[in-house]
Amino acid sequence: EIVMTQSPATLSVSPGERATLSCRASQSVSSNLAWYQQKPGQAPRLLIHGASTRATGIPARFSGSGFGTEFTLTISSLQSEDFAIYYCQQYNNWPPALTFGGGTNVEVK
Amino acid sequence: QLQLQESGPGLVKPSETLSLTCTVSGASISSGSYYWGWIRQSPRKGLEWIGLIYHNGNSHYNPSLKSRVTMSVDTSKKQYSLKLTSVTAADTAVYYCARIYGANLGDFWGQGTLVTVSS
């Protein structure tokens, strides 16, 4: 089983600042990496897939990068609606075996 | 507009079977590009994928849950279902149904339903 590890667990950022979140896979997942955003009381929302492709309707301030085992989600200028928990998910397996990271909570500094 | 709605008991006794149904509206459940999945979330284990099913009934399950999970699909009702047997308190979680693009990406999720396992 591929294990996904996210860091930091909590990131304190001021509105307007840049946020950088990390995700590490226990073995290579190529570019088969997605990012989700979850707000309290809501389901996760797909932000990024293929490590760097924004999903439909996702603002350009969200960007993803990385390949293999190291990935980054960057939010260039945090808006109030961006304070949430962010999860990475790998999908490098067949048969399917979706696995998620433990999440990074982006909170107001 | 696509909507997924989970339904089922919010309280299940230990050792019994958890049964949930997801009703899909606003899109075809028979679309070739999509699987239909169940994912749960608990403070203890975070987000945990349970399984996927295709409209033809082909399914894939999380190996850690495979012995207890059965999924089924009813395309005429635009519904798919989850059964999880022999539940314990560790199965207490918010259960989400989700559309899974290419068997990989949860691109649309239901609102989730809390299932508590307790006597």
Side-chain angles (χ1 to χ4, degrees):
Chain A
E1 177 187 345
I2 298 175
V3 177
M4 308 302 293
T5 303
Q6 291 187 243
S7 61
T10 301
L11 185 62
S12 298
V13 186
S14 298
E17 289 188 340
R18 174 187 296 259
T20 303
L21 290 65
S22 295
C23 175
R24 173 177 293 176
S26 61
Q27 64 189 74
S28 177
V29 297
S30 185
S31 60
N32 297 314
L33 191 285
W35 291 93
Y36 296 82
Q37 176 193 69
Q38 187 177 33
K39 297 179 181 179
Q42 297 184 17
R45 177 176 71 143
L46 180 64
L47 295 177
I48 300 280
H49 60 90
S52 61
T53 302
R54 281 188 301 277
T56 303
I58 301 303
R61 63 180 181 272
F62 291 92
S63 62
S65 63
F67 185 87
T69 62
E70 300 284 344
F71 299 90
T72 300
L73 174 69
T74 302
I75 311 170
S76 60
S77 176
L78 270 161
Q79 306 298 301
S80 58
E81 62 267 29
D82 300 335
F83 292 98
I85 300 176
Y86 292 82
Y87 295 95
C88 61
Q89 176 231 319
Q90 70 82 21
Y91 51 96
N92 195 50
N93 309 84
W94 187 265
L98 288 61
T99 53
F100 294 86
T104 292
N105 181 20
V106 178
E107 64 174 23
V108 178
K109 187 175 183 180
Chain B
Q1 182 181 354
L2 176 63
Q3 288 189 320
L4 282 72
Q5 181 66 58
E6 304 90 351
S7 59
L11 181 64
V12 182
K13 290 182 168 54
S15 79
E16 295 191 344
T17 296
L18 179 159
S19 297
L20 294 174
T21 296
C22 183
T23 301
V24 179
S25 58
S28 171
I29 201 170
S30 300
S31 170
S33 300
Y34 298 100
Y35 280 72
W36 302 90
W38 290 98
I39 296 161
R40 68 183 183 180
Q41 185 173 30
S42 64
R44 189 174 73 95
K45 297 202 75 175
L47 287 164
E48 182 179 29
W49 167 67
I50 300 170
L52 307 173
I53 192 163
Y54 199 55
H55 63 81
N56 65 0
N58 286 346
S59 58
H60 302 280
Y61 302 140
N62 186 327
S64 69
L65 298 170
K66 187 175 182 178
S67 63
R68 299 194 291 131
V69 172
T70 304
M71 293 179 62
S72 59
V73 61
D74 186 333
T75 56
S76 66
K77 294 183 178 179
K78 298 183 71 173
Q79 293 179 333
Y80 64 103
S81 299
L82 168 70
K83 291 190 185 300
L84 180 66
T85 62
S86 305
V87 298
T88 70
D91 295 308
T92 294
V94 175
Y95 285 74
Y96 294 100
C97 61
R99 188 178 74 172
I100 309 295
Y101 177 74
N104 295 320
L105 300 169
D107 72 340
F108 204 92
W109 299 54
Q111 65 184 20
T113 186
L114 174 62
V115 179
T116 301
V117 178
S118 175
S119 56

